[in-house]
Amino acid sequence: MSILGAIAGNLALTGMTTGGVYIGGGIVPRILPILEEADFMGAFTDKGRFREMLSRMPVHVILNDKTALLGQPGVRWKGGNHGARP
C-alpha cells in the first residue's frame, strides 16, 4: 500500500489538489481495511518540504462501484459522445 500512497501523493502534488484526492476503482473497496492499516498515509505525505501541505489534504475512497457509470447518462443527454460510439 505504500506504493499506492506514494503515487497518490505524487499525483496530488502534480495537480495541486488541495481540495482532496479521490481514490476509486473496483479493488479499492475490497482492500479498504488493508489501506487503513497499511502505511498509505505515511507514503502519501512523505514528500519532504511538502509533508505539511499533504497532511492537510483529505483523501477519500469511492465506495460506489457504479460511480463511473453515473455521469454517462448526462453526457449522452447533452449530445456529446466524447469519442464513444452509439
Side-chain angles (χ1 to χ4, degrees):
M1 291 299 114
S2 62
I3 294 172
L4 179 60
I7 292 171
N10 288 341
L11 290 171
L13 282 175
T14 300
M16 292 303 287
T17 59
T18 56
V21 173
Y22 290 82
I23 300 174
I27 191 131
V28 175
R30 295 183 208 137
I31 64 170
L32 187 56
I34 298 168
L35 195 63
E36 292 172 334
E37 292 174 11
D39 195 28
F40 174 86
M41 286 306 294
F44 182 84
T45 60
D46 189 19
K47 304 293 180 218
R49 66 180 187 244
F50 297 107
R51 179 183 296 275
E52 184 180 335
M53 180 180 69
L54 286 168
S55 66
R56 291 191 311 261
M57 211 176 274
V59 177
H60 307 279
V61 175
I62 300 171
L63 298 176
N64 185 340
D65 62 348
K66 305 285 190 240
T67 301
L69 302 174
L70 293 176
Q72 184 60 29
V75 171
R76 298 296 294 164
W77 181 74
K78 292 179 181 178
N81 65 6
H82 300 279
R85 295 183 179 201

